[in-house]
Every structure is written in structure tokens, then in C-alpha cells.
Amino acid sequence: MADAQRKMTNGRTRVEFETDPSRYRHWKLTVDGDVATLLMDVDEKGSLFEGYELKLNSYDLGVDIELADAIERLRFEHPQVRVVLLRSGKPRVFCAGANIRMLAGSTHAHKVNFCKFTNETRNGLEDASAASDLKTICVISGTAAGGGYELALATDHIMLVDDGSSAVSLPELPLLAVLPGTGGLTRVTDKRKVRRDLADVFCTTEEGVKGKRAVDWRLVDEVVPGSKLDATVAQRAKEFAARSQRPTDAKGIKLEPLKRTRTASGADYSTLSVALADRLATITVRGPEALPPASADAMVEQGAQFWPLRLARELNDAILDLRLNELDTAAIIFKSAGDPEQVVAYDRFLDSNEAHWLAREIRALWKRVLKRVDLTSRTLVALIEPGSCFAGTLAELAFATDRSYMLIGTREGDNNPPASLMLADVNFGPYPMSNGLSRLASRFLADSADLDRAKAEASKPLHAERAAALGLVTFALDDIDWGDEVRVFLEERASFSPDGLTGLEANLRFGGPETMESKIFARLTAWQNWIFQRPNAVGEEGALRRYGSGQKPNYDTKRV
Amino acid sequence: MADAQRKMTNGRTRVEFETDPSRYRHWKLTVDGDVATLLMDVDEKGSLFEGYELKLNSYDLGVDIELADAIERLRFEHPQVRVVLLRSGKPRVFCAGANIRMLAGSTHAHKVNFCKFTNETRNGLEDASAASDLKTICVISGTAAGGGYELALATDHIMLVDDGSSAVSLPELPLLAVLPGTGGLTRVTDKRKVRRDLADVFCTTEEGVKGKRAVDWRLVDEVVPGSKLDATVAQRAKEFAARSQRPTDAKGIKLEPLKRTRTASGADYSTLSVALADRLATITVRGPEALPPASADAMVEQGAQFWPLRLARELNDAILDLRLNELDTAAIIFKSAGDPEQVVAYDRFLDSNEAHWLAREIRALWKRVLKRVDLTSRTLVALIEPGSCFAGTLAELAFATDRSYMLIGTREGDNNPPASLMLADVNFGPYPMSNGLSRLASRFLADSADLDRAKAEASKPLHAERAAALGLVTFALDDIDWGDEVRVFLEERASFSPDGLTGLEANLRFGGPETMESKIFARLTAWQNWIFQRPNAVGEEGALRRYGSGQKPNYDTKRV
């Protein structure tokens, strides 16, 4: 079932997530006043792995990394942009979806990680609209098939050319025996609200749906004759721009390259370090070294060096690096070092500038990075020790973990002050998980009085026993017990089935309500992961392997 | 991966779902006034398949079929019972959960079907409480491990003996590398609302939790010293009985054995027939032959022969039979024959007697049977033809399908009247799907005006073109197109990957909100099904296969 690792192109051995428009091979980003255009023009030869060509604007992870980067840059570097047009640079095709040969030859782990990242990118498109009023319009001339249509589904407005051949389709099931798993099924039912039986017809019709029927079935927002396309697109862009509240006079900041040094056992960034050992990754985040700037203008001046933004970007990169490149890691351990008051001072600074576009973008970025942490299939642990600064935004890292251990008092020969947690307003709303609840609200599902009790303690340093009594940490331990307890836990964790833990954590982390987003990562993704294991898809005679071979797949006809 | 079918015991070749207390091998049902006791005392030698013994009150599907039957009988045969005590007939063990050797040796399909049925049984326990005020108390003396504790989780009140050894546990992950998949994880987070980090500790601790900690962590409702157990149980039973609104003076009806004849190509029941051919199962339900009874008393007099009850029980059996015994069936086609007005007359009869305990039980049974249809992993199709009676309750079958085809007008040489759909009050609330919405509300998620428009047409015969215009059917076809269209669709459907369809349908059928119940069948079950394919669980060196062998499992340590 193709579980041997594929070779990367150009001698690469790791997936890298940093890029910038000057290095894009697959997208062209142009900005014209308040309208940006993202032109998809995939370089056939620009694949991330060997063994396939990216024909017909099909994509692999490398293509999506560029898209994710472009959306981030539009948010930070071009705050005046109000509308993004997604278009194809190729004739007769918008996008053919995920590259099938790439999928067929990928390991199971890569398929799953690929889907997760691309889903996060599409959620990011929607977040740009919801949180930043950066509206997206998808202009489909030609075919938008599978992942191509799923990309369209993540935009605010889908325009389809009415030329007798341009169509949208989700042919994954009939062609490949897999699901439209990049949010496709969920967005069809829950965002576009296509009637379930019409959705069934649509998802089993290889050639898809075109013209007026696509509008009637709610698959696209409008069809436009080819002759009127450019005028109508310009008109729509104008309308959406007029409705956007993005600032008109803001000057963006430059998202400079991250400062990262790979070390023998991990990596050092400017605000955090990653240490790998014994199948554990320890991420130590460092609190700010200086007070927050005096004004919003000063924050803009600091740009990408502004501590909360720098840390968010570096943490994002570190998490993605572990996800894709360190599969053998059983657990991610979060530690922190710094002054809790300083961390909270930055949170207060952002609170008091919440109307400022950059403060809003930074908060929204943190929200997305924290969601990525939630969705990372590694055991997450917080070790809260003397000298740490799990306060405000950084306390969210502790609340994102499966378990937290907090040391009572100080350690002999250690000058650091006793560990404390410190809550701030930011812990009670601005960073919802994919289930729509804050991490503390998810934690205290049983009794909202627990949440109120925690809220009443905001801004106070909460030492271990108090934090445990409030239910904010799992265990408060003194120095005598600490070493053995933590070691035994981590050893035990590493001894469990990695798959079992993935399933366990995917369930326990997301109690309570579900949203479209959480449905995508649970219902849809979990079924897709199941199918990605089934011989009917990935076996030697399965559809994914036989696609394009001229041989029909041979299915086990038993329904499970 | 053990995908060879296991041999059944006692020469059986099919799983049978009908039983009655006189035939139980694993449970003893006793009734004492308003309190019933369900004593679990599993017969080690009474397994459904060969190759394992049901030690320590462990269970297989056969044990659960008896439990499901007992709950149904309590609802219909013993309406005066207000409280059910679940207890163990064995010393030092309440229930050890699903039998591990059974699981290890089962086909993937059987594992999935086993989990689905047992989940439905546990949901049925909760439905007995919610819909019929039949309260359940679980008395745990000894260990309640895995599925044993999951059974407890489905009850209204969990009592644990405080004897220093009795404990509740979910050891699936550490012991077997699978999930507590019979609702366990979801009920821990969403029903008991155990804090997520404590849930993590609980689910990774083989020996479980006992005594006061079990109460503090919300895992049980109370711990009781052994010396006071019987008195406290009696007291709780009394309290719960006092709060129940079940009737005090009602006399139950006897759930007589179903009338079923297996035929060469299916089965005949008194109200429906099943015809199997070409990987299709056609279920034709027949409308009532007589007017509804004149009074509620007359309904009680008819008992299990009362048409709606008879049909619900027979349909339930037919669906389960197809699910477990006809794995090769690609699609279930619903047809009906009878007078729509008569069907709706029965619905009106039940509406006007909605306060009567038996009418309420019949509606609740239909609700559960329809949910079972929704959750059946076969393509569901309705063919709505002249002479059919998809009206009221039976129209729900059409709305449960993935697609419906309705014939316009009549057929040459066919005296039957043109097909009509007929809506009634029952289509707008009493039969919620597991997402909490009625099938029509799920259908018309996009615009509630569509739902209102349908409602305004209640009680009118809606012919094909009108039904299609209202969005109630997928396609309205005339006789010329019908044959080819339907044939091509069914052939195409049978040509698709059965696994792909399972995943597709599990997503498209459940748009909109999620509930604890839908989370169990989507998030939890989908992850469990994935894990049930992973070598770390089911491979030769996986935990499920190596359990009890003295050999440790050998895991692929990569996280996916």
C-alpha cells in the first residue's frame, strides 16, 4: 500500500514551509489597488516529490504551501487589499485538484498530512474573510474538479463561465474511490447547503455540473457568459470591496524570512527552540525581552519583529516541521521561559489596540496557529516549571495540551521564581478552538461556574496548588515526585500505539459542539483516513493505484 | 488481517436478531412492581461465533442482541416499570467489555457492524429514559472495564461499590491499541463532561479509577460502601421511580414473534417483503389493510398486530438482517404499496393518542428504526411508483434515502393510481435524525421557506411533478425514461467502491448540527474504523492480535 517514503525533488530531505512570492513556482500574486489576483499556474515540473508531473493545474503540498503563504502575505503585507480574485493561468482548466499520481504514490502518513494542511489553508481563506474582511472570489473558466472545486468552495463567491463546457465537479468517488476530503463534502452540505440528494447526484457524476443547473443546485453563485466575464468580475470585485471594512490608509508590514538555525538535535528560532530526543520534541518558547511598544505606530514600525507576531510565525513553522518531518515524535512538550507579567503586558497592548488592523491580524494568526496545535496528532504536554511564563496567550499552549504538569515551589539551586499561570482576557474568547469554544470553555464544559471562577482570578499569578484547585492544570507535583512522574508518563505515552493515540486525542480534545470546521476535521477527515487504508482505494487493484493505467479497479463488493 | 469470515456456533449461518426472555442465555430479566432488574450473567459457552469463550461477563453481538431485546420488552410489555437496575450476576466483575478474542478474530466488517449495533443499543437505553421515562441505574460491584463501563455510561445513574477494588476503566488504548468506541470517549466528554485532561489520564490508565476519585472526576455518580449497597440501591430505585412519569395502571402488550418466511430470494413478513437480486435489496412495505382502531383501548387490544407496530418491528428486523447477513448488497430500494390516505389515518390516530403510553412507544420505536435506516451503510433509494403509499410515517423512508425517483402519471396497463407523496404532522418533528433535525429540516437546510412550503401542502396528494417542484424527490420521470434511468443509476452505483460510498453517504446524510449521538457515529466511529484497519491494532504484531499471547505488540512508531 505504498508506505515507502517517496523521494523529494532537488535533493531535499525535509518539507519546508517558508517561501515568498519571489520564489513561487505555481502562483502569481499581483495587487492592483484594493483588488489582488492570485493566478494559479502550476509548474508541471515543480513537484515536491519525484514521480509525478503537476499537469492541468493539479497540486501537491508544495503548491498549497505557496497558496497558504500568499494568503498570509495579503493579510499582513497588503492590508489595503479588500478582494482577492482566484483565477487560473491555464486555458480550459481552473484546477484539476490534488495530483492523483502524487496521492497514489504517497505514504498513508503523507496523504493524511497533505489533507490536513490543505484543509487548514482553505479554513485560512475563510478566516481571512470572517476575521479580516478580506473577501475572496473564485473565477472558474474551464473545469474545477475535485480539490479544484474544493478550493472554490472556500471562497466567498464562485463565478462559473457559461460556455457549455466549464463545470464544477467532485469526481473523487467515481474516479478514485476516495472522498472529496479537503472539506468538499462538508462545505457542499453545510456551507453551500446543497440538498442532500442533489449532493449525492453531484458527487457521483464524474463530469460534474455546469451552467444554470450549477446555480440552481447552489454549487456556484452565478454563471456568466464568457463575453461578459471580465466586466462582471470587475463589477463583483468592486461590490465586494465596497462592503469590506478593511483599512484604506494602512501600510503593510513585511513578513521577513524567519530566523531559524537547525541544530544537531532540533532547531533554534529567535523566540523558541525545538529539542528532539527519545521520540520527544520539547518546544521552549521565550517570553518577550522588552516592554510592548508605546503605540500602534511603534508596533507597525517593529513589523515582523514585534514579539507576538514573531513567535506566532516561528511556532507555526516549528509545528508544521514536526508534523511533516518528524513522524517518529510521540509527544510535543511545551515549556516556556520568561516573565509572565511581560507576556500579559503584550496581551493588554493588543487588547487596547484591538481595532488596529495589525493587532487584529496578529490575534487572528495566533488563533490559527493554536488551532494547528490542537489538530496536531502528537501527544501534547505542558511542563510548567519555575521561571516559566504560561500567561495570557502563552497559557493557551498549556490549555491546548492533553495534560499539564506544574511544579510546586522552587527547585534547590534554582533561582527562578516558582511557576505560575496567569490568565488574561485573551483566554476567554479571542482564540476559539475549531469547535467554536475557547480552550477554557472546552475544559470546563461540565460547569460554567468553573469558568467564572477562573475568570475571577485573571491577572493574578496562580501557583501550582491554586492552579490545580481551579482545574487549570492536570497535576501539581513537588520536586520530589516531579522527575519520576513525568518520566514514567512520557515513557508510557511513547509505548502506546501511535494510531490509537491519534484517535483518542482527536476525540478527547474536542468535547461539546461541532462546527463546519470541526466536522471537516472529524467526520470527513476520519472517514477519508479510513478510506485511505482500504484496498478498494489504495490496494494494488484499487482505484487510486489503477487510475490512468487503462485497467479498471477491482473492488471487494462487500459493504462494511 | 483476519478478514476471513468466522464460523458461527450451533450450525448457524446467519445472525438472527429475534429472541425473547425464555431464550436468553446471558441476561435474566425480572420485574418487581415498578423496578426491573437486568442481571448480566454471560454464558461463557454461549458465543455467537466459534473460537472464543465469553469469560468475565465479556460480550459479543449475541449478548447485545439479548440486551436490546430486553429493553424493547420493558418498554412494550412492562409499561409500569419505571426503573431498570443493571447488575452483574458474577462475583467481582460487572462486565469486562467486548470480548477481545472475538474482536481479534472478526472480519473488519463484523467489527464495524458489531460496534454500530452495540452503539444503537446504548442509544436505545438513553432513548428509553428520554422518550419513555424508563430510568436506568447501573450498579457496579467489581470491575466495569471497556465496553462494561461504556454500558454504564449509557444509564442515568452509575453507582460504584467502594470496596477498595471495584473500579471503572477504559483500558482499550493501553491494552488493545483501539478506542473505547461504543460511545465511550464521546460520553466521557459530552455526557459526563469529564475534564479533557482527566479523561486523558482515565483512558490511558489500564486499572481505571475507583472510589472517591471516580466521583470527583465525574466518572460515576456515587460510591457506596458494600455494606450499604442493597439499601442504597433500593433507595435510589425508589427515588428515580418517584420522578418517572410512566403510567401506573397500564397493562403491557406482548411482543409476539415476528412472522417471517425466508424465500429463495429474500424474505416475506406480514407487512413487507425483501427481494434480493443483482446486489440489490428491494424492500416493499405494504400499507394498512384496515382502518385504524376506534380507540386507544382497541389499539392495546390489537397489541403487536397493530399495523404501525408490526411494520416497525418487521422493518427493523429486515434492515438488521441485510446489514449483517447480506454484506454484498450495494443498495436498498424502498418501494411501497397501499393507500396513502390509510397510512396517514394511522398517523392521525397516533397523533390524537399521543399521550397514551403505547402510542408514544410506537412513535419512539419508529424514530429508532428510521435512525437505523439512516445509519445503514448501503445506498438507499426510494422508487415511488403508481399504487405506492409514501405518506406520513412511510414518507420518512423516502426522505431517508440518498435519492428518490418518482414516476409521473400512470403506466400503460396498470390500474394503479399515479404515485403521490403525502405529508403529515409526523414529517415535521417526531422523527428526528441523529443530528437532531427532522429529515425534511435536514433536507431543506438552505432555506427554511422550503420547509414551510412543504408544510403548507400537508395532507394533499402530491404527484410527481409537484413533489419534485417542492424538492421532496430527486427526480420525477415519465414512464418512457424511468426504466433506463433507474437501471443505469443502480448499475452505476453497484460499480462504485463500496467503501467510498460508505464514507460519502455518512457525510452527505448528516448535514447541519451534530449531537452527542451523531458525534458517536461520526467522529468516534470513523476514527475507530480507521484504527480497526491499522496494523498497530489488527496486524500480526498488533495489540489486538497479540493480546493474551504473552508477546508484546510491536508498533510502527510513526504518528500519522
Side-chain angles (χ1 to χ4, degrees), chain A residues 108-109 112 173-174 177 179 185 189-190 193 195-197 199-201 203-204 218 279 327-330 377-379 399-403 433 443-446 471 473-475 492-493 495-512 514 518-519 521-524 526-527 529-531 533-534 536 555-560, chain B residues 108-109 112 173-174 177 179 185 189-190 193 195-197 199-201 203-204 218 279 327-330 377-379 399-403 433 443-446 471 473-475 492-493 495-512 514 518-519 521-524 526-527 529-531 533-534 536 555-560:
Chain A
H108 183 66
V112 170
L173 180 101
L179 301 183
L185 295 184
T189 55
D190 283 47
K193 296 183 170 130
R195 222 175 68 207
R196 55 173 282 197
D197 55 340
D200 181 277
V201 177
C203 297
T204 52
R218 307 176 59 90
R279 298 188 52 225
L327 296 179
D328 210 42
T329 299
S377 74
R378 303 286 190 284
T379 293
F399 303 144
T401 62
D402 300 299
R403 285 194 209 182
M433 301 172 63
R443 188 173 186 85
F444 296 130
L445 270 182
V473 296
T474 317
F475 296 113
E492 185 186 68
R493 203 71 172 193
S495 77
F496 292 151
S497 160
D499 306 315
L501 285 172
T502 293
L504 184 82
E505 292 157 2
N507 279 276
L508 296 183
R509 287 179 190 169
F510 302 97
E514 300 258 359
S518 72
K519 280 179 83 167
F521 287 114
R523 185 178 275 273
L524 177 57
W527 281 111
N529 291 355
W530 175 71
I531 286 168
Q533 287 278 291
R534 299 288 292 159
N536 283 343
Y555 294 138
D556 176 350
T557 54
K558 287 197 291 297
R559 281 290 286 248
V560 167
Chain B
H108 183 68
V112 170
L173 179 102
L179 302 183
L185 296 184
T189 54
D190 283 45
K193 297 184 169 129
R195 223 176 66 206
R196 54 172 283 196
D197 56 340
D200 181 276
V201 177
C203 296
T204 52
R218 306 177 60 91
R279 299 188 53 224
L327 296 178
D328 211 41
T329 299
S377 74
R378 303 287 189 283
T379 293
F399 303 144
T401 63
D402 300 299
R403 285 194 209 183
M433 301 172 63
R443 189 175 187 85
F444 296 130
L445 271 181
V473 296
T474 318
F475 296 113
E492 185 186 68
R493 203 72 172 194
S495 77
F496 291 151
S497 160
D499 306 314
L501 284 173
T502 293
L504 184 82
E505 292 157 3
N507 279 276
L508 296 184
R509 286 179 191 169
F510 302 97
E514 300 259 359
S518 73
K519 279 179 81 168
F521 287 115
R523 185 178 276 273
L524 177 58
W527 282 110
N529 291 354
W530 175 71
I531 287 168
Q533 288 277 293
R534 298 288 293 160
N536 283 343
Y555 294 137
D556 176 350
T557 55
K558 287 198 290 297
R559 283 289 287 247
V560 167

Side-chain angles (χ1 to χ4, degrees), chain A residues 186 190 433-436 513-520, chain B residues 514:
Chain A
T186 315
D190 283 47
M433 301 172 63
S434 68
N435 64 3
E514 300 258 359
T515 64
M516 184 178 80
E517 193 176 312
S518 72
K519 280 179 83 167
I520 288 174
Chain B
E514 300 259 359

Side-chain angles (χ1 to χ4, degrees), chain A residues 383-396:
Chain A
L383 298 184
I384 307 172
E385 297 171 283
S388 64
C389 56
F390 287 105
T393 291
L394 295 192
E396 290 294 306

